[in-house]
Amino acid sequence: MKPMKFSERARIVEMSGIRKFFQNAGPDAVNLGIGQPDFPTPEHIKRAGIEAIEKNLTGYTNNYGVPELREAISKKFKRENNLSYSADNIIVTAGAGEALHIAVESLVGKGDTVLYQDPGFVSYRECTVIAGGTPKGIPLDDKFHIDVERCKEALDNAAVLILNSPGNPTGAVESGESIKAIVQYAEDKGATVISDEVYEHFVYEKKHYSAGCYGDNVVTVNAASKTFSMTGWRLGYVAGPKDFIEQAVKIHQYCQTCASSVSQYAALAAYNGSIACVDEMRREYAVRRDLLYNGLKELGFDFPKPEGAFYMLVPMDRKQFEKILEAGVVAIPGDAFGENAVNYARFSYAASRENIAEALRRIATAV
C-alpha cells in the first residue's frame, strides 16, 4: 500500500501547544494550563438546553443561526458594547474558534500579511497559515501592551490585524485610546481589524473597549464559552458589515452548516437572562488572580499583573519550566504563543483556590 499523501497546508500547521500539554497531563497533576473555567454552566442555561431537547429542537437551524438568538446577541452588542450590529450582521458559530477561522478565510488571500500580538493566542498564526496568508507577530511593550506606533508601521503593508483585548496569554487590556488609534489607522490603510473579545467580561481594574466603536472596518468575534462557562457547548459568533457577512456565511455553510441547535437555545437563555452569574465569576477570578500573582511574586518571579482574562505570562527559562512540570504543575511553555514568549510560561487561574495554593506549594519546592 502506498503511503497517503498530505497537503502542504496540513503539514505546515502546528498542533496547538496548549492541547498537547492539556491532553498529556498526569492524573495527579495540578492543571493550570488550559483556559477551562471550573464553574458549572449556570442552571438557567442548562435548563434551556434540556428543554430544547425535550421539545425536539434538534434539527438544522438557519445557516446564520436561530433568529431569536441573533436578535438577543444584537441587543447584547448595543447594551454592553455600544455596537449597532443588527441580527442580519451576525453569524452564530461553533465557538469563537470557528468564528475566527471563517473571518480569516473570508478576508485573507494568498500572501496577505496578517498581524497579531506576539505573545498572542496560538490560533492567530495557524489560521493565517491555513488561509495562505503571511503571519507577522507584533512585539509588545514591557507591560504586554501594543506599541501603537510600531503597530501603525506594520499596518502599512498588512491586510488584516487580529486584535485581542483582554489578551490571551498576557492578561493585558488595551486602552480605548490605543484601540481607537489602531482601528482608525487601519481603516486609512485599507486593512480590516478582527477584534477577539471573548474575555470582555473578565476585566478587573480597567475597562473593556470594543474596536467596532471606532471604525467600520472591524469584524467582532465573541462567544458564550468563557463568559457563561459554556466551553463544551461550542457556541460563538462573528459580527461585521453586511458585505463581510455575505462572504463569511459561505465558508461557515460548507464547514459547519450551523451551530448546534441545542447550544443555540441554551445561549438564548444566557443572553436574555441575568449576568449576575458572570459578575460572580469575575469577582472570584480576581481573588484567584491575586492569590497566584502574589504567590509567584514571593517566589521571585517578576512580571506585570494581569488586567483581564484569567491568564498570566510568567518569565522563566526552560530548566525552571521543566522542574515545575516534574513537580506536577501543568503550565504552557511560552513558545506556544510566539517568538517573543520563548522564555515564559502561561499559567491559568481558571482553577480553584485550593488547586492554585497546591500549585504554588509545588512550584516553591521546584524553584
Side-chain angles (χ1 to χ4, degrees):
M1 177 179 173
K2 291 184 178 180
M4 190 178 293
K5 293 182 179 180
F6 299 102
S7 70
E8 178 71 11
R9 179 186 305 107
R11 287 190 288 109
I12 63 176
V13 170
E14 294 289 337
M15 182 70 178
S16 166
I18 298 173
R19 302 307 301 185
K20 284 180 187 176
F21 278 81
F22 171 64
Q23 290 165 180
N24 293 333
D28 298 323
V30 178
N31 196 335
L32 302 186
I34 195 166
Q36 170 72 36
D38 69 334
F39 299 100
T41 302
E43 287 300 319
H44 68 290
I45 300 172
K46 290 193 287 188
R47 174 49 52 189
I50 292 168
E51 289 177 358
I53 295 171
E54 292 173 342
K55 293 177 180 177
N56 296 315
L57 298 173
T58 53
Y60 292 125
T61 74
N62 185 296
N63 287 141
Y64 293 86
V66 172
E68 303 97 304
L69 174 57
R70 287 185 286 125
E71 187 61 42
I73 294 170
S74 172
K75 291 178 180 177
K76 169 258 185 283
F77 274 129
K78 189 64 178 176
R79 180 176 66 248
E80 297 179 358
N81 307 94
N82 198 30
L83 293 173
S84 299
Y85 291 124
S86 73
D88 292 336
N89 292 94
I90 297 166
I91 303 171
V92 181
T93 61
E98 193 220 339
L100 175 68
H101 175 69
I102 65 173
V104 173
E105 289 289 337
S106 302
L107 294 167
V108 178
K110 186 174 178 60
D112 284 346
T113 296
V114 176
L115 308 176
Y116 54 91
Q117 290 134 290
D118 182 355
F121 184 51
V122 296
S123 293
Y124 304 148
R125 181 188 185 281
E126 302 309 328
C127 281
T128 300
V129 171
I130 292 171
T134 302
K136 182 178 179 181
I138 304 172
L140 306 178
D141 67 19
D142 59 0
K143 300 294 185 183
F144 296 137
H145 290 124
I146 296 174
D147 182 317
V148 174
E149 294 308 313
R150 292 184 71 174
C151 183
K152 286 180 178 179
E153 290 176 14
L155 275 165
D156 287 342
N157 299 298
V160 170
L161 165 67
I162 303 176
L163 176 65
N164 180 212
S165 178
N168 175 8
T170 65
V173 176
E174 298 297 336
S175 69
E177 292 80 7
S178 292
I179 293 174
K180 180 179 180 180
I182 290 167
V183 169
Q184 293 183 346
Y185 191 86
E187 191 160 40
D188 288 342
K189 295 296 179 178
T192 301
V193 175
I194 299 175
S195 183
D196 180 349
E197 303 182 15
V198 297
Y199 298 100
E200 63 170 339
H201 282 284
F202 304 125
V203 176
Y204 308 111
E205 291 80 23
K206 298 185 75 174
K207 180 181 177 181
H208 170 71
Y209 294 90
S210 291
C213 292
Y214 304 112
D216 297 325
N217 62 324
V218 177
V219 169
T220 304
V221 167
N222 211 323
S225 301
K226 303 300 196 295
T227 303
F228 297 102
S229 195
M230 293 177 66
T231 53
W233 296 79
R234 306 313 304 132
L235 197 289
Y237 47 94
V238 60
K242 184 175 183 293
D243 54 352
F244 163 78
I245 293 296
E246 289 173 349
Q247 300 305 317
V249 75
K250 294 186 289 185
I251 310 296
H252 169 65
Q253 172 185 278
Y254 288 114
C255 74
Q256 193 65 30
T257 304
C258 63
S260 158
S261 62
V262 173
S263 297
Q264 290 192 61
Y265 286 105
L268 178 61
Y271 286 108
N272 278 340
S274 168
I275 63 167
C277 55
V278 181
D279 294 335
E280 182 181 345
M281 290 183 220
R282 181 177 62 253
R283 288 191 293 269
E284 177 61 21
Y285 284 140
V287 173
R288 296 175 183 185
R289 176 197 62 163
D290 292 346
L291 177 62
L292 183 57
Y293 178 77
N294 292 334
L296 290 171
K297 290 280 284 186
E298 288 174 6
L299 292 173
F301 296 100
D302 186 22
F303 58 100
K305 190 173 187 178
E307 300 161 333
F310 38 67
Y311 307 105
M312 51 188 67
L313 195 62
V314 183
M316 62 179 62
D317 59 35
R318 192 70 184 192
K319 188 175 180 180
Q320 285 179 310
F321 176 74
E322 289 175 355
K323 284 183 176 180
I324 289 170
L325 285 182
E326 289 170 4
V329 178
V330 178
I332 307 300
D335 56 13
F337 303 101
E339 296 177 1
N340 297 315
V342 172
N343 292 316
Y344 289 84
R346 190 195 76 174
F347 292 80
S348 167
Y349 48 94
S352 69
R353 299 186 199 184
E354 293 75 16
N355 280 349
I356 291 171
E358 175 61 18
L360 287 169
R361 187 190 68 77
R362 296 185 185 190
I363 293 169
T365 64
V367 302

